[in-house]
Structures are given as structure tokens and as C-alpha cells.
Amino acid sequence: MNKNFYSLITCFILTLGISVVSYAGNPDRQGEAGASELLFNPWARSAGLHSLGTSCVTGVDAMRLNIAGLGRINGTELVIANTRLYEGSTLKLNSLGFAQKMGDNGALGISLVAVDFGDIPVTTVNQPGGTGGSYSPGFFHMGLGYAHTYDNKISVGILARGISESLPDVSAFGFALDAGVQYVSGEKDEFKLGISLRNIGSPMNFGGGEGLAFQGDQPEGEANYQLTFNQRAEGFELPSVLNIGVSYDFYLGETNYIRGVGNFTSNAFSRDQIGVGAEAMFFDKFALRAAYKLEVGNSTNNEAENVYSGLAFGASVDVPLRKSSSQRLGIDYAYRTTNPFKGTHNFAIRMSF
């Protein structure tokens, strides 16, 4: 790895970012993208900051916001998380993330996220009240990422993600790429800058099952019989997002600090968002977080606001598994207000060793 490599990655991210920004923040395209589960944040630490930590996110959480932060771990990190999406809707996320330091400067990570829709009753035209059966859609994606840190100042990373969406009789599959850069500066690395580009991939479309087939009369001829016709589903694009964030740490001692965070999100299929937040760390064991996010521009009566415009907060507790040991157990929680519904709750158990 050399400086030319990092320059190339940076130029790649900025070039793609410019292409995304040229289409971003356009409410006329709102609702045209699919695979919106790619925008869900299953990790409680970063969710407590309303997903504004593009510049400072590290470890497993970085695989959702800025893959460059994956490289800023010291060893191994394992996270198991559950998210209760839009309280009252019965939607949930079940997630598993693993990150491993590779050599002195690299890190490899893998994340698995599945959407739990619960059991949905099967209804038909003839039985609108239900047939007595049920089904559950299978929405699942897996990401594999790598990040490298150069001279502890610049981190770059790239992540490939496979996306699977399926019903009992139809399915869709696609790939997406994330890329990111983080830069730190200062005597204690207190200033941080981050840029990430997410969900860049080819369009997806549903097929591969009998769900798009129907029975109809043969179009010509005197014989009266039926044929099976297959319909072609329209393709849909992935919800591309460009994030630019900054943060600054105000140290109150060796292990205590207050971090101020700011972030701009450019959405290709909805209006842009800006947000600010703060994270307070005490004794390297306890953390409190709060953030506020809002959309850029004024909405009209015909435009739906983003469900995550508003307040978020969270907390973490980290304790050593043994006295004077680097092995730690962490418990993370986050709450984000939503409109409508009753908010989203994130829970996570984190092990570092």
C-alpha cells in the first residue's frame, strides 16, 4: 500500500460522490428506489448519534456508515444486535457483525443483517379474510469489507454487499459497493473528517418464481383454453447515499471527553439531511449520546418527510471481562424518534478482545 493507492481511492469516492450529488436531494424521485433496508442502521452505538458519525465511527458500526472506520480497531470485535423498527409495526432487524485486525494497519469485517417481518396472513381474492396460512418475506444482506490505515492519519476502505429479497414465489438479488475515507489530525487525533459513499450498484428486479405468472385465455383461435403468461417486473435502483461529516473531541482528562459531531447526507432519492450531535465518554467505560437531524428545504403537502427526522439518543457501558484485561464486554442502546410510529429501539451486545 502506498500514497498513490489512497489517492486513487479518494478520487474514486469523490468522483462517484459528485455523480450521486448531481441527482441527490430531489424529492421528485422520492420513493423510486428499492431495497430501502440498506438505509437501516442495526448498530446501537452509531444509531445513538442518529447515524451522523461518518467522521468518527469505528469497528463493526463502520460497515454501515463509513467502511474506512473499520481499520481503527485494536484487535477483534464481535457484535450481536436486535432492532425494533418503528415500534408498533412488528418489524425487527437481527444482525451479526465481526471485525478482525489484519497486521498493523489493515482490518477485515463481515456483517449479516436480516429483516424480520413476522408472520403475515395469506389472503386471496376469494378469501380476503385469510386462508389460515401465513408467510414471512426473506430480506437479507451480507457485507464483506476491508479497511487500511496509513500512518494513523488516513483510513480508506471498501465493502461489497450482497442483497437478497424474497417472497415464497418471487425473489430479487443484487450487489452494492460502499467506499469511504477518514482523516484525523491533532495531538490526540481530536479533529476528524469523513466521507463515505454507500449503496452503489446495478438495478435489481423481481423474478425467478411463479409470483409474476397468471392464467389467461389464449389470444387467438377458436379453441377455448387457457395459457400461463409471465409478466416482467420493472427494475429498481438502490438508495445511493453520500455522507460528509466532521467531529472534534474536547478532552477533559486522559479518558474523558465530549465529542461534537456534524454531518451532511446527500440522498439520491429523497431530500438531503443535516444533523448535529454530541457524545460524552467517561473513564473509557460509560458513554452518552444525543443528536438531532432534519431535512434540508421546506416540504410541501405532497412530499412525505423522512421518518427519521428528529431526535436520537443512546448510551453504552463497557466493562473488562477480567481485571487489567483488554477483553471487554459492552452493552449499547439507542432510541430514535420516528414520524409516524413510536420510535426505533436498538440493542447490542459487543465483545472486544
Side-chain angles (χ1 to χ4, degrees), residues 45-300:
R45 274 191 303 176
S46 51
L49 274 176
H50 229 327
S51 303
L52 302 178
T54 305
S55 61
C56 55
V57 66
T58 61
V60 167
D61 291 62
M63 289 188 280
R64 182 47 53 124
L65 298 183
N66 186 352
I67 183 60
L70 178 68
R72 297 188 179 276
I73 59 173
N74 297 321
T76 303
E77 187 174 80
L78 176 67
V79 182
I80 301 172
N82 176 264
T83 302
R84 288 161 51 184
L85 284 166
Y86 316 137
E87 187 67 35
S89 69
T90 73
L91 285 172
K92 297 181 177 65
L93 290 180
N94 297 308
S95 311
L96 175 67
F98 176 79
Q100 175 65 55
K101 193 76 172 178
M102 306 287 289
D104 294 332
N105 300 312
L108 184 69
I110 184 170
S111 66
L112 308 173
V113 180
V115 184
D116 181 1
F117 291 86
D119 293 327
I120 302 174
V122 176
T123 60
T124 65
V125 174
N126 296 325
Q127 294 177 289
T131 64
S134 64
Y135 72 98
S136 182
F139 280 40
F140 173 85
H141 49 88
M142 179 178 72
L144 179 65
Y146 178 80
H148 191 90
T149 303
Y150 178 76
D151 198 26
N152 195 42
K153 294 297 181 183
I154 299 177
S155 298
V156 296
I158 190 166
L159 179 142
R161 182 177 285 112
I163 309 151
S164 175
E165 300 182 348
S166 64
L167 295 170
D169 50 9
V170 69
S171 62
F173 187 80
F175 287 97
L177 288 177
D178 295 359
V181 174
Q182 281 184 343
Y183 170 78
V184 301
S185 180
E187 185 177 338
K188 294 185 176 181
D189 296 338
E190 57 267 27
F191 174 78
K192 300 175 178 66
L193 169 69
I195 302 174
S196 72
L197 184 62
R198 302 188 52 244
N199 306 330
I200 302 300
S202 59
M204 297 173 57
N205 68 287
F206 281 93
E210 299 181 356
L212 300 177
F214 68 96
Q215 294 287 327
D217 294 332
Q218 56 90 18
E220 297 179 357
E222 298 181 359
N224 186 15
Y225 61 91
Q226 288 192 323
L227 297 175
T228 299
F229 296 87
N230 289 317
Q231 302 179 88
R232 294 183 179 179
E234 183 71 23
F236 55 88
E237 296 185 54
L238 302 181
S240 303
V241 175
L242 174 69
N243 284 298
I244 302 174
V246 295
S247 64
Y248 193 89
D249 300 341
F250 299 91
Y251 277 88
L252 307 175
E254 276 303 312
T255 58
N256 302 337
Y257 65 81
I258 296 176
R259 172 176 292 162
V261 176
N263 197 83
F264 170 76
T265 301
S266 183
N267 294 295
F269 291 91
S270 61
R271 288 185 297 157
D272 299 336
Q273 292 181 298
I274 57 173
V276 294
E279 178 181 39
M281 177 66 73
F282 306 99
F283 311 112
D284 201 29
K285 294 181 180 179
F286 308 101
L288 297 175
R289 306 176 183 93
Y292 190 86
K293 183 189 291 187
L294 54 86
E295 293 188 335
V296 178
N298 297 321
S299 63
T300 66

Side-chain angles (χ1 to χ4, degrees), residues 11-23:
C11 291
F12 168 74
I13 293 171
L14 293 177
T15 301
L16 289 180
I18 291 171
S19 66
V20 171
V21 170
S22 64
Y23 295 100

